[in-house]
Each structure stands twice: as structure tokens, then as C-alpha cells.
Amino acid sequence: MFGAFRFTNPLSGGLLWKIPWRLSKFQKARHRKRLRAVDDVVATVDAALAKNGETIATLERWKAEMPTEAEMLPKDKYTMFDRKAKRYRKGIHRLPKWTRVSQRLNPPGY
Amino acid sequence: MSWFRITLHRSAIGLPERTRGVLAALGLRRRSQTVFHPVSQDFAGMIMKVKELVRVQEVDAPKTDAEVKAERQFAPGFWVEKRGKEVMARRGGGGRDMN
């Protein structure tokens, strides 16, 4: 009952994941900051190439498809599509390496 | 001609080999390292590949590593008005050699 071998959830067998269900407001703020940092990099590269009258395919595709941080819905900022999750959404922090990958788009209608 | 000033802000530990290869090609080996590359489509494509990891500015001229380091140094808080050696020499060279 007490002591080192008490029955707590992590000890009572099986695997208990401790990823919180949602992001804290501080995690969300830092996440928005990272999104804006990526937007900044893309804008800088675009402006620098535009001065020479150049562009590249990946840049054009990013600008055409990817919303900027300001354009994104909160739903897309903090959650992502998952076909196995209840109501088809899971927290974006469940994505491996989520602070260093761009995950902005989700299937239409979900 | 303008240049990209690229600083590695986030580590690529655990990211795909392709991503780490792009960083190696840009010459970025450690965090906070800064490199300069000319503005061209080649380097723009490489930056787009690692855009989540780097901070980029467009600058007019590249800087050497020493100049980049000098930007980060604080002012020492004092300045030398005259060297002890020169003062002693002016007094007649009688003093000890002070450096």
C-alpha cells in the first residue's frame, strides 16, 4: 500500500505514456515563435532572390501552399490530423521532433 | 552582390541524414556557428531544406570568423591611455621594464 512498491499507475504494469494531453500556454507561445521564425527565414530568402529576379520551386510551392503563422487557425497550430485519434485530432506535440519540423497542413474537412 | 548570413540555431540531432548532409554542405558544424554564402538559387534551396534550424539574414558583405566573434564580445570596461613601458622610457629609462 505504501512505500516503494505501492500501486501507482506507472507501476501497476504496462506502459503509461506521460505526454500531456494538451500544450501549456507557454509551449504554445514558444511554438508560435518558432512558426514565425520559419516564416522569417522564408521571407528573407524570397526577398533576397527577388532582388536578382530569381526564385526557386520549393520557395514558390511553400508560398502557394503553406499558411503563415498569422493565417493559421489555432486548431491547425496546436493539433494535427490523426486517423486513429478520437475526433481525428491529436496534439501537435505528439509528432516526433515537433519543434524542428513544419507541420501546418491537415486534410480538408478534418 | 549580397550574401546570406546563416546561423545554426537548432541542432540537427536525430534528424534525417539528408538534413544533416545539407548542414554539412553549408559548412555548419555546431550551434551558433555563422557562415556566409552568396545569394543564389543553390544556397536558397539549401536554406529552404533546413529552414527550421537556421536563422538567416541578407547582408552586403561576408565577415571573417574573427569579425563575427568580435560582434559577440563585450566592451572590456577599460581602455589603455599609455603603456607603462613608454612612460618609463620618457622618464629616462631608469625604471624596470614594465609591460
Side-chain angles (χ1 to χ4, degrees):
Chain A
M1 192 78 182
F2 302 107
F5 299 103
R6 64 190 179 279
F7 285 97
T8 57
N9 281 336
L11 285 176
S12 56
L15 196 59
L16 182 69
W17 288 98
K18 296 227 176 174
I19 301 177
W21 183 76
R22 66 187 120 197
L23 295 171
S24 73
K25 64 179 178 181
F26 306 105
Q27 282 176 307
K28 292 202 284 188
R30 287 194 297 271
H31 183 52
R32 289 195 298 273
K33 205 174 157 191
R34 284 191 294 269
L35 289 172
R36 283 197 296 272
V38 174
D39 289 341
D40 277 350
V41 169
V42 173
T44 307
V45 172
D46 185 34
L49 283 182
K51 279 182 196 165
N52 303 347
E54 293 171 338
T55 188
I56 51 173
T58 48
L59 193 60
E60 288 306 308
R61 181 152 183 223
W62 179 278
K63 286 197 292 178
E65 291 181 5
M66 283 294 205
T68 62
E69 191 267 337
E71 290 165 1
M72 286 174 75
L73 297 172
K75 181 179 151 186
D76 287 332
K77 275 183 211 174
Y78 311 122
T79 63
M80 63 181 287
F81 174 76
D82 179 12
R83 68 189 165 90
K84 301 182 297 299
K86 193 183 272 187
R87 305 198 59 201
Y88 302 107
R89 282 280 168 167
K90 65 178 180 182
I92 194 155
H93 57 300
R94 290 179 170 271
L95 175 71
K97 319 288 177 206
W98 69 284
T99 63
R100 292 180 289 160
V101 294
S102 288
Q103 155 55 46
R104 299 190 180 194
L105 293 177
N106 288 291
Y110 290 93
Chain B
M1 182 177 174
S2 56
W3 298 69
F4 285 125
R5 180 197 166 114
I6 310 161
T7 305
L8 185 61
H9 185 57
R10 304 289 312 272
S11 147
I13 291 175
L15 291 182
E17 189 65 49
R18 289 293 292 265
T19 308
R20 284 182 283 143
V22 170
L23 288 183
L26 282 170
L28 290 167
R29 291 140 55 92
R30 58 183 86 86
R31 276 192 59 203
S32 299
Q33 188 181 5
T34 302
V35 292
F36 291 85
H37 288 297
V39 170
S40 71
Q41 290 173 318
D42 301 356
F43 287 113
M46 287 157 77
I47 292 169
M48 284 300 283
K49 194 85 181 162
V50 293
K51 59 192 166 310
E52 293 90 1
L53 307 180
V54 294
R55 288 177 171 178
V56 181
Q57 285 174 295
E58 192 191 358
V59 292
D60 292 330
K63 288 187 174 182
T64 62
D65 287 351
E67 285 167 339
V68 171
K69 188 180 176 188
E71 289 175 4
R72 289 197 295 264
Q73 301 296 310
F74 284 102
F78 64 90
W79 57 92
V80 176
E81 289 190 346
K82 14 185 173 170
R83 304 256 167 214
K85 209 172 179 179
E86 296 160 16
V87 174
M88 299 313 278
R90 218 170 299 145
R91 281 183 194 165
R96 280 173 299 172
D97 195 3
M98 290 168 72
N99 248 330

